[in-house]
């Protein structure tokens, strides 16, 4: 047994251990469970159903995933009597968001395999655990300071300088739960404003590029990666992604190496994404990890031989990972609720002027500013051409 496999097994309870050792994969026809009702759960369900599986979704409310499921549980995530019935009805369990109580999975693992593992979920739920875990694994992260009081914040600013970013340890996403601190800022006000007892102060990273690598690792430890993918953000929310990207070979190699090492170090079985900063001197630092398919990986649906969602199904069921080869350069643009504020987007014009663009909508009925409603994808002869086209296509939606 390899070291990484044995590490994975030590993290498991005996009951799951026996299930892991009985190696035959979970075949089509079985019911796969996913916790979370958002768009990532929806795209997982669509991939699983295409492959002949049935899908059970546990969500606290009706959402994009529940309408694509064969079986739906709408219940509070603390409702373990409903949960136990749910776990008894499925063959394996995954999740589409990390913002879930870990106790749910600790109970689930008594019934079915849970992938990726609980330790990996727990680590990525908390920025302090994540950054310290990465540092202990000798993986590169920017300078940070654990901040549990105003005094910690003052010491952190003295150590890291300004600008810096204070982030809540848990619960934040898309720039929420973050405050940028510039020189002369009133630190007691910042500490009051962040409104948490556990935060992390990060030095502001003067990155030249933001990239991500999506990875899929199967039970046998085979790992494939997508990207690096180039990402641009608007108001801290992912806006456009494309790949392949034009970076020095060392940067590409480093990004893939970091991601593969994370997969091994944390014995991941499933799909995850590493968001990375590229510095001017070619260094690559981890910003954060998503223990699930990622928005920047949506372009794998059309752009790659096996999508990130199909990989999630394959890994969950114990099949080998599929090919992550790029079919053609590809770009993706998000559609946020802002585009609905002037009325329904002009779908007819999009279809007429950009017949090569693929539309994905998540079935959300209420459009709000900043809410991810869908995305567009297009293949091109180069990623810059694809990116220009997907941005132009998105622009014609405005009325
Ligand atoms: P996060 O939620 O941590 O991914 O942050 C959202 C976005 O804020 C990132 O994609 C970056 O554009 C920016 N950001 C986060 N942390 C830092 C940092 N330490 N230095 C510079 N920019 C950052």
């Amino acid at each position: 047994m390899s070291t990484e496999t044995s590490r994975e097994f030590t993290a498991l309870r005996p009951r799951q251990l026996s299930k892991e050792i009985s190696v035959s994969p979970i075949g089509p026809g079985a019911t796969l469970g996913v916790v979370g009702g958002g768009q990532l759960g929806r795209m997982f369900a669509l991939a699983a159903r295409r492959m002949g599986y049935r899908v059970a979704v546990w969500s606290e409310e009706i959402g994009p995933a529940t309408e694509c499921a064969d079986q739906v549980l709408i219940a509070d995530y603390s409702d373990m009597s409903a949960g136990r019935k749910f776990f008894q009805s499925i063959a394996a369990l995954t999740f589409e968001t990390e913002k879930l109580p870990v106790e749910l999975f600790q109970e689930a693992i008594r019934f079915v395999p849970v992938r990726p593992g609980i330790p990996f979920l727990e680590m990525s739920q908390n920025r302090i655990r994540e950054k310290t875990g990465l540092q202990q694994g000798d993986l590169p992260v920017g300078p940070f300071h654990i901040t549990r009081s105003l005094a910690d914040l003052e010491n952190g600013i003295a150590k890291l300088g300004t600008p810096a970013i204070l982030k809540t340890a848990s619960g934040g996403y898309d720039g929420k739960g973050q405050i940028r601190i510039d020189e002369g800022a009133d630190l007691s006000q910042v500490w009051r404003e962040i409104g948490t007892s556990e935060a992390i102060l990060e030095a502001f990273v003067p990155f030249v590029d933001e990239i991500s690598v999506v990875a899929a690792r199967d039970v046998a430890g085979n790992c494939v990666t997508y990207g690096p993918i180039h990402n641009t953000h608007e108001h801290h929310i992912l806006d456009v992604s494309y790949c392949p990207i034009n970076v020095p070979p060392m940067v590409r190699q480093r990004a893939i190496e970091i991601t593969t090492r994370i997969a091994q170090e944390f014995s991941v079985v499933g799909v995850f994404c590493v968001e990375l900063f590229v510095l001017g001197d070619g260094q690559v630092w981890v910003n954060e990890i998503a223990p699930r398919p990622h928005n920047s990986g949506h372009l794998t649906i059309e752009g790659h031989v096996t999508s990130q969602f199909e990989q999630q199904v394959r890994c969950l069921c114990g099949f080998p990972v599929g090919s992550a080869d790029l079919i053609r350069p590809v770009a993706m643009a998000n559609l946020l609720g802002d585009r609905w504020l002037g009325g329904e987007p002009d779908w007819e014009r999009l279809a007429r002027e950009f017949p090569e663009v693929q539309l994905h909508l998540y079935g959300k009925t209420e459009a709000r500013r900043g809410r991810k409603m869908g995305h567009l994808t297009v293949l091109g002869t180069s990623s810059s051409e694809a990116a220009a086209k997907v941005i132009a296509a998105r622009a014609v939606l405005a009325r």
Side-chain angles (χ1 to χ4, degrees):
M1 191 186 283
S2 71
T3 325
E4 55 187 270
T5 316
S6 61
R7 219 179 284 147
E8 179 191 345
F9 282 176
T10 54
L12 302 173
R13 289 186 182 184
R15 180 127 181 225
Q16 189 185 15
L17 186 63
S18 60
K19 283 202 162 75
E20 296 287 352
I21 286 171
S22 65
V23 279
S24 63
I26 298 162
T31 302
L32 306 180
V34 59
V35 189
Q39 61 267 20
L40 298 176
R42 178 188 183 95
M43 288 182 268
F44 166 79
L46 293 173
R49 291 179 76 167
R50 180 175 59 76
M51 295 163 76
Y53 291 91
R54 295 171 60 76
V55 177
V57 173
W58 180 359
S59 173
E60 293 192 317
E61 54 193 19
I62 297 290
T66 56
E67 61 180 37
C68 296
D70 298 280
Q71 183 187 317
V72 176
L73 168 62
I74 302 289
D76 197 278
Y77 292 137
S78 61
D79 184 350
M80 274 311 126
S81 76
R84 277 187 284 275
K85 284 195 202 107
F86 182 83
F87 304 144
Q88 278 161 354
S89 72
I90 59 175
L93 184 67
T94 190
F95 46 85
E96 62 110 47
T97 168
E98 54 280 20
K99 288 165 194 67
L100 294 165
V102 86
E103 296 76 20
L104 185 159
F105 298 99
Q106 283 160 345
E107 183 63 18
I109 210 168
R110 298 176 52 226
F111 298 86
V112 286
V114 173
R115 292 177 177 147
I118 295 175
F120 190 56
L121 168 67
E122 272 188 301
M123 184 188 74
S124 48
Q125 281 177 332
N126 182 293
R127 291 183 194 274
I128 295 175
R129 280 203 293 268
E130 186 172 280
K131 285 262 154 56
T132 48
L134 289 168
Q135 211 173 43
Q136 280 158 12
D138 219 11
L139 289 150
V141 292
F144 67 92
H145 187 79
I146 297 168
T147 304
R148 296 198 169 96
S149 66
L150 175 57
D152 284 344
L153 178 58
E154 287 164 350
N155 291 337
I157 289 292
K159 186 172 96 182
L160 303 178
T162 52
I165 303 186
L166 184 65
K167 301 179 177 179
T168 55
S170 54
Y173 67 100
D174 287 344
K176 295 190 179 82
Q178 296 190 14
I179 300 175
R180 182 186 155 123
I181 303 175
D182 288 300
E183 201 185 339
D186 178 347
L187 295 184
S188 52
Q189 192 190 325
V190 169
W191 184 242
R192 269 199 308 277
E193 223 175 282
I194 197 83
T196 176
S197 55
E198 198 175 45
I200 188 164
L201 182 71
E202 294 181 8
F204 187 86
V205 180
F207 58 81
V208 290
D209 267 324
E210 286 192 85
I211 62 174
S212 55
V213 177
V214 173
R217 184 172 179 270
D218 63 28
V219 194
N222 303 303
C223 186
V224 291
T225 57
Y226 298 89
I229 299 161
H230 189 274
N231 300 317
T232 53
H233 296 81
E234 280 285 324
H235 308 294
H236 299 284
I237 302 173
L238 185 66
D239 186 42
V240 173
S241 296
Y242 62 82
C243 94
I245 66 173
N246 193 13
V247 286
M250 264 309 287
V251 170
R252 170 187 311 279
Q253 196 186 322
R254 197 70 192 112
I256 293 172
E257 196 180 284
I258 289 168
T259 306
T260 311
R261 276 216 28 230
I262 291 173
Q264 291 166 349
E265 189 73 27
F266 300 99
S267 306
V268 180
V269 177
V271 172
F272 70 101
C273 175
V274 184
E275 294 180 55
L276 302 142
F277 294 133
V278 181
L279 282 79
D281 61 3
Q283 283 190 74
V284 180
W285 290 350
V286 177
N287 172 28
E288 66 177 348
I289 299 172
R292 49 162 171 81
H294 189 257
N295 194 164
S296 65
H298 292 355
L299 48 69
T300 62
I301 296 175
E302 286 89 2
H304 296 74
V305 172
T306 314
S307 79
Q308 61 172 350
F309 299 103
E310 176 172 343
Q311 299 285 26
Q312 191 180 15
V313 175
R314 293 171 81 113
C315 296
L316 178 63
C317 293
F319 282 101
V321 283
S323 161
D325 286 356
L326 182 73
I327 297 171
R328 275 172 64 194
V330 57
M332 184 268 341
N334 266 342
L335 299 175
L336 300 185
D338 311 48
R339 283 180 198 276
W340 273 252
L341 299 180
E344 187 68 17
D346 194 345
W347 305 120
E348 193 276 331
R349 188 170 167 207
L350 173 73
R352 182 163 30 85
E353 292 185 20
F354 291 92
E356 66 279 45
V357 167
Q358 307 293 312
L359 171 66
H360 296 249
L361 287 175
Y362 309 145
K364 296 181 185 178
T365 46
E366 193 195 337
R368 288 193 302 269
R369 217 176 266 286
R371 188 173 199 209
K372 290 173 181 167
M373 303 294 285
H375 70 266
L376 302 178
T377 310
V378 71
L379 304 181
T381 50
S382 70
S383 50
S384 53
E385 186 226 322
K389 193 176 279 180
V390 84
I391 290 167
R394 187 172 61 175
V396 306
L397 289 173
R399 294 228 179 233

